[in-house]
Amino acid sequence: MRKLTIALILLLSTAALPALADDVAVLDWRRALMETDAAQRSMSDLESRVGSQQQRAQALEQELNQLQQRADSLTDSERQQANQKVAELNRLMGEVMQARQESEQALLQRAEPKLQQAVEQIIARHSIQVLVEPQGVLHAESDLQNVTAEVTEILNSML
């Protein structure tokens, strides 16, 4: 992602130059990547790997919420069981989060060079002089050309 970030910074640095509205475009590269078929498959694979852990975590969360409602009347044994459930919930949530991070990182590593190619294609296709992220647009007199869907389309053909 460093190359893409550097490219975006270089493109953003030209923002001080006068630019026509057609020369400026918006790209939400995260959305473009996450809407690809490859990302959807990756999320589906992740769900199949950690779905049971997520369900168990949700069940534990519900049990703990019920116990919390009667916290004043819990016996020592019930408090000890609640503490064990909290520990198990924390463990499960940690495992799910770690699996999600690993899955996202693997997708990013696989997609980075293809994302760079897709961005370069879009820049050339539309003669874009300045490419910004949606969060980087502070003001625009008119809607900027949004190339996110096109980048997703190109990525789908590459991934």
Side-chain angles (χ1 to χ4, degrees):
M1 294 312 327
R2 279 193 297 234
K3 289 179 184 177
L4 180 61
T5 303
I6 290 169
L8 288 174
I9 289 171
L10 290 173
L11 287 171
L12 289 173
S13 68
T14 63
L17 301 173
L20 299 172
D22 290 343
D23 295 353
V24 181
V26 175
L27 170 63
D28 185 341
W29 66 268
R30 289 171 194 86
R31 191 179 97 212
L33 180 59
M34 294 312 291
E35 288 180 356
T36 62
D37 297 338
Q40 298 305 314
R41 284 189 304 274
S42 178
M43 295 301 287
S44 185
D45 291 346
L46 175 65
E47 177 64 30
S48 68
R49 286 194 326 264
V50 299
S52 62
Q53 291 168 304
Q54 285 179 315
Q55 288 175 348
R56 177 65 183 140
Q58 288 172 344
L60 281 171
E61 205 168 22
Q62 288 175 350
E63 289 177 41
L64 289 168
N65 286 337
Q66 290 171 354
L67 287 173
Q68 187 177 17
Q69 290 175 358
R70 51 186 202 97
D72 294 338
S73 64
L74 292 179
T75 65
D76 287 342
S77 174
E78 289 172 321
R79 289 183 198 281
Q80 191 174 29
Q81 287 177 348
N83 288 335
Q84 289 172 347
K85 289 178 183 189
V86 167
E88 184 179 358
L89 176 62
N90 288 335
R91 181 188 59 78
L92 287 170
M93 294 303 291
E95 289 174 3
V96 168
M97 287 185 68
Q98 182 176 351
R100 177 172 282 126
Q101 287 173 342
E102 289 171 358
S103 179
E104 288 173 359
Q105 186 63 35
L107 176 65
L108 280 173
Q109 285 178 344
R110 273 193 332 270
E112 181 180 6
K114 304 215 183 309
L115 180 59
Q116 183 66 35
Q117 290 174 2
V119 169
E120 289 169 4
Q121 283 183 33
I122 292 299
I123 289 171
R125 180 182 301 159
H126 295 284
S127 301
I128 296 170
Q129 298 297 312
V130 179
L131 184 63
V132 297
E133 292 186 288
Q135 301 83 359
V137 178
L138 297 178
H139 172 76
E141 289 293 321
S142 60
D143 287 343
L144 299 177
Q145 179 180 3
N146 190 332
V147 296
T148 303
E150 285 184 72
V151 170
T152 301
E153 189 177 310
I154 292 170
L155 285 172
N156 273 334
S157 71
M158 294 177 163
L159 293 174

